[in-house]
């Protein structure tokens, strides 16, 4: 099992690749939309990249609940458990 | 009639990553055509093309580039070059009234490489992996829309589509926007980027492309007796057009005047040009009327001249019919001999070439002519030729599948700068 910090770090790499935000700025309390300037289409890309990276499925109806980096990391942790 | 002047130029082409390098290449007779060495080209009937001289990814922010089809990448680079060249900035440094600022950026085919790439992903990796940016990348208006977003254009953002006449039509539309009072300044031109196995093969299946695989650099040879089809090129060229009043008020440097444009349609065949050339001549005649000029004012024509067996000769007769005896004093060239055929990017690139020819009083040569087609009724430049002193005007022709004909007229009226200044 990956630790919370390992998952956050991987998510940060994905966010950096897709929207160019520095990985160290992608912290658990950050809002994708408000703090990291992630628009709705980029969020779809991030979700799909996370599904592929972590081998999980994030249904479309769940995506709206992933407001912060912490929400996404927690969802991935639960899905992997 | 409102005078329209050209105050900024930008080009990302097979001859250079900017407008000055492209013009220098055209005058030097540089050849943009090269063999396609990629694996995907190995089985194609045509294995050469004219790629842009530089990689667009080296000229764009990485995150911005991954959301743009290659056609939009090329347009963004050329468009922002033109914008800077006109002395204009972005954001807080952009002094233009956004409500009076327009964009007309054409593409003949649109974001085809994105369409094909994402379809490959859907088939190979499943529906979930298709990019959510696919639609805003593949839509033909994406280059215009992205340019409009960057410079803040709110007077209207348009994408005329008329195959290989598209970007001349974009220039004609820009002129209309300003003369109808809808805008004071318009970023106008076109882009194309379809060097990919499917479109190359599809054009080859029409017998439209040269098959000179053993000697690609001599394949684009307009008016040579051994021409056998066009060479596919890619690239973008954008011009900043503005009313003379607007340009003068902000103290802009002026390359020359966009005197007017003429449009016609053959209504003859979906791909073959009308062999009578009637529609082509009509476009040139209408362009002269729209410009308030007469045939005797014209000293240069940048021809459509794609290097196809039928098209080049038809156009030569169309030029003679449109200009009459005045054609005796006109030097004709086809810069496609060096750049290949940029399809939806051809019109604006060649309007730029015609503008620089009268601006510098030098007509680029049509390269690769070993045996000129006999009995042509026009004077084809096989070497760089000088234009006379005094007032000069030139026509740029672009004709497209579908029977679209668009002629644009440029002149050296109001000229206050050359490329070096």
């Amino acid at each position: 099992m990956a630790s919370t910090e390992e998952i956050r770090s991987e998510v940060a790499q994905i966010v950096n690749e897709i929207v160019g935000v520095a990985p160290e700025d992608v912290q658990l309390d950050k809002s994708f939309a408000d703090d990291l300037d992630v628009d709705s289409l980029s969020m779809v890309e991030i979700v799909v990249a996370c599904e592929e990276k972590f081998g999980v499925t994030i249904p479309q109806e769940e995506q709206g609940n992933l407001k912060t980096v912490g929400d996404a990391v927690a969802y991935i942790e639960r899905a992997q458990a | 009639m409102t005078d329209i002047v050209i105050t900024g130029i930008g080009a990302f082409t097979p001859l250079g990553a900017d407008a000055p390098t492209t013009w220098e290449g055209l005058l030097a007779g540089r050849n943009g055509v090269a063999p396609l060495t990629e694996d995907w080209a190995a089985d194609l009937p045509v294995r050469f093309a004219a790629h842009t001289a530089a990689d667009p990814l080296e000229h764009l922010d990485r995150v911005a580039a991954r959301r743009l089809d290659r056609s939009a990448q090329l347009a963004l680079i050329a468009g922002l070059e033109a914008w800077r060249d006109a002395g204009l900035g972005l954001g807080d440094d952009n002094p233009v009234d956004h409500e009076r600022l327009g964009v007309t950026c054409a593409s003949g085919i649109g974001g085809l490489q994105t369409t094909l790439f994402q379809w490959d992903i859907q088939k190979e990796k499943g529906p979930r992996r298709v990019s959510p940016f696919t639609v805003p990348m593949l839509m033909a208006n994406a280059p215009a829309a992205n340019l409009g977003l960057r410079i803040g254009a709110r007077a209207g953002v348009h994408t005329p589509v008329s195959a290989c006449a598209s970007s001349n039509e974009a220039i004609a539309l820009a002129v209309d926007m300003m003369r109808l009072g809808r805008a004071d300044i318009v970023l106008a031109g076109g882009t194309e980027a379809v060097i990919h196995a499917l479109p190359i093969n599809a054009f080859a299946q029409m017998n439209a492309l040269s098959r000179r695989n053993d000697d690609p650099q001599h394949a684009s040879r307009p008016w040579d007796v051994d021409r056998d089809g066009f060479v596919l090129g890619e690239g973008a060229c954008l011009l900043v057009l503005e009313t003379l009043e607007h340009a003068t008020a902000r103290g802009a440097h002026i390359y020359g005047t966009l005197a007017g444009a003429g449009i016609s349609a053959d209504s003859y065949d979906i791909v073959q040009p009308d062999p009578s050339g009637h529609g082509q001549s009509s476009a040139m005649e209408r362009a002269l009327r729209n410009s308030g000029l007469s045939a005797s004012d014209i000293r240069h024509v940048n021809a459509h001249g794609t290097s196809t067996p039928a098209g080049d000769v038809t156009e030569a007769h169309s030029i003679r019919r449109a200009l009459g005896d005045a054609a005796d004093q006109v030097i004709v060239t086809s810069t496609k001999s060096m750049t290949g055929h940029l399809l939806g990017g051809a019109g604006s690139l060649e309007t730029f070439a015609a503008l620089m020819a009268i601006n510098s009083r030098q007509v680029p040569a049509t390269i690769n002519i070993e045996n000129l087609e006999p009995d042509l009724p026009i004077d084809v430049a096989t070497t760089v030729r000088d234009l006379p002193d005094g007032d000069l005007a030139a026509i740029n022709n672009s004709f497209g599948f579908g029977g679209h004909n668009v002629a644009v007229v440029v002149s050296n009226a109001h000229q206050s700068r050359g490329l070096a200044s």
Side-chain angles (χ1 to χ4, degrees):
Chain A
M1 274 296 290
S3 71
T4 298
E5 173 50 25
E6 283 167 343
I7 293 173
R8 186 209 61 80
S9 173
E10 295 281 12
V11 170
Q13 291 301 326
I14 288 168
V15 171
N16 171 258
E17 172 65 24
I18 291 171
V19 295
V21 175
E24 59 271 24
D25 292 338
V26 184
Q27 296 300 332
L28 296 178
D29 62 339
K30 297 289 192 213
S31 157
F32 285 109
D34 298 335
D35 299 322
L36 305 180
D37 210 19
V38 174
D39 61 31
S40 62
L41 296 186
S42 298
M43 193 63 205
V44 175
E45 273 199 297
I46 289 168
V47 166
V48 172
C50 286
E51 287 186 330
E52 190 186 358
K53 182 82 198 171
F54 299 104
V56 300
T57 300
I58 307 174
Q60 201 172 1
E61 57 271 22
E62 275 299 327
Q63 286 176 27
N65 298 327
L66 307 181
K67 306 283 190 206
T68 67
V69 176
D71 293 339
V73 171
Y75 189 93
I76 292 163
E77 284 182 308
R78 284 200 304 278
Q80 283 184 325
Chain B
M1 185 167 67
T2 306
D3 279 4
I4 310 289
V5 293
I6 302 153
T7 57
I9 51 181
F12 198 81
T13 72
L15 300 186
D18 54 43
T21 311
T22 297
W23 174 242
E24 191 183 286
L26 288 171
L27 273 187
R30 211 157 58 224
N31 200 312
V33 181
L36 291 168
T37 52
E38 296 89 340
D39 289 345
W40 55 257
D43 296 333
L44 296 177
V46 173
R47 296 181 296 281
F48 56 92
H51 273 297
T52 51
D55 181 352
L57 300 181
E58 291 171 5
H59 295 258
L60 290 170
D61 169 71
R62 177 184 63 83
V63 172
R66 67 191 298 279
R67 296 175 184 186
L68 299 172
D69 181 78
R70 186 175 173 93
S71 59
Q73 293 173 356
L74 306 183
L76 196 60
I77 297 167
L80 294 181
E81 181 197 357
W83 193 249
R84 286 190 304 273
D85 185 52
L88 297 164
L90 301 174
D92 293 340
D93 295 326
N94 186 350
V96 171
D97 177 355
H98 297 282
E99 304 297 331
R100 303 289 301 165
L101 167 60
V103 173
T104 61
C105 182
S107 171
I109 298 182
L112 184 64
Q113 297 209 50
T114 294
T115 306
L116 294 167
F117 180 68
Q118 294 296 332
W119 176 230
D120 286 345
I121 287 181
Q122 180 162 329
K123 284 184 296 179
E124 290 162 16
K125 298 182 176 172
R128 185 68 175 148
R129 295 288 298 281
V130 168
S131 168
F133 289 97
T134 301
V135 171
M137 288 172 73
L138 69 80
M139 60 193 198
N141 55 310
N146 279 286
L147 280 169
L149 280 168
R150 292 296 283 265
I151 64 173
R154 295 191 186 131
V157 171
H158 305 283
T159 302
V161 177
S162 48
C164 305
S166 297
S167 54
N168 254 11
E169 192 163 335
I171 291 169
L173 178 57
V175 170
D176 285 349
M177 284 178 79
M178 288 182 275
R179 290 195 174 148
L180 292 171
R182 290 174 52 208
D184 298 323
I185 176 167
V186 180
L187 182 58
T191 185
E192 205 78 80
V194 292
I195 298 178
H196 175 287
L198 178 71
I200 290 176
N201 191 46
F203 280 119
Q205 289 286 75
M206 302 174 75
N207 291 320
L209 295 181
S210 168
R211 301 202 176 204
R212 199 177 283 262
N213 287 304
D214 56 345
D215 187 17
Q217 291 223 317
H218 295 99
S220 187
R221 48 198 306 143
W223 299 296
D224 181 275
V225 293
D226 293 321
R227 65 192 182 279
D228 70 329
F230 78 81
V231 175
L232 184 61
E234 63 169 4
C237 182
L238 278 295
L239 307 172
V240 175
L241 306 180
E242 53 188 307
T243 64
L244 177 63
E245 185 182 1
H246 189 269
T248 305
R250 69 181 189 87
H253 297 292
I254 294 171
Y255 287 106
T257 293
L258 201 306
I263 298 178
S264 74
D266 281 354
S267 191
Y268 172 80
D269 184 86
I270 193 65
V271 290
Q272 297 298 331
D274 179 352
S276 79
H278 175 78
Q280 297 179 359
S281 296
S282 294
M284 286 179 259
E285 289 159 6
R286 290 169 190 175
L288 285 173
R289 279 200 298 278
N290 186 253
S291 305
L293 295 172
S294 61
S296 59
D297 295 314
I298 301 298
R299 293 305 184 105
H300 167 48
V301 172
N302 188 307
H304 190 55
T306 57
S307 189
T308 59
D312 292 2
V313 173
T314 299
E315 183 179 8
H317 288 281
S318 301
I319 292 168
R320 169 60 65 173
R321 189 181 313 104
L323 301 180
D325 291 344
D328 290 343
Q329 60 174 11
V330 170
I331 301 170
V332 180
T333 198
S334 171
T335 42
K336 287 188 182 77
S337 57
M338 294 168 273
T339 64
H341 190 351
L342 270 60
L343 310 181
S348 54
L349 175 59
E350 292 156 22
T351 293
F352 157 72
L355 170 72
M356 295 323 299
I358 56 172
N359 182 282
S360 68
R361 299 182 191 276
Q362 286 183 295
V363 174
T366 305
I367 68 167
N368 292 332
I369 296 179
E370 292 170 39
N371 296 294
L372 188 65
E373 179 76 31
D375 302 324
L376 287 175
I378 54 169
D379 176 10
V380 175
T382 56
T383 57
V384 174
R385 299 268 296 276
D386 292 333
L387 289 167
D389 292 340
D391 294 343
L392 292 176
I395 293 176
N396 171 43
N397 283 334
S398 287
F399 311 134
F401 285 164
H404 310 274
N405 308 301
V406 186
V408 166
V409 178
V410 289
S411 82
N412 64 355
H414 308 298
Q415 178 180 331
S416 67
R417 77 184 289 197
L419 255 186
S421 61

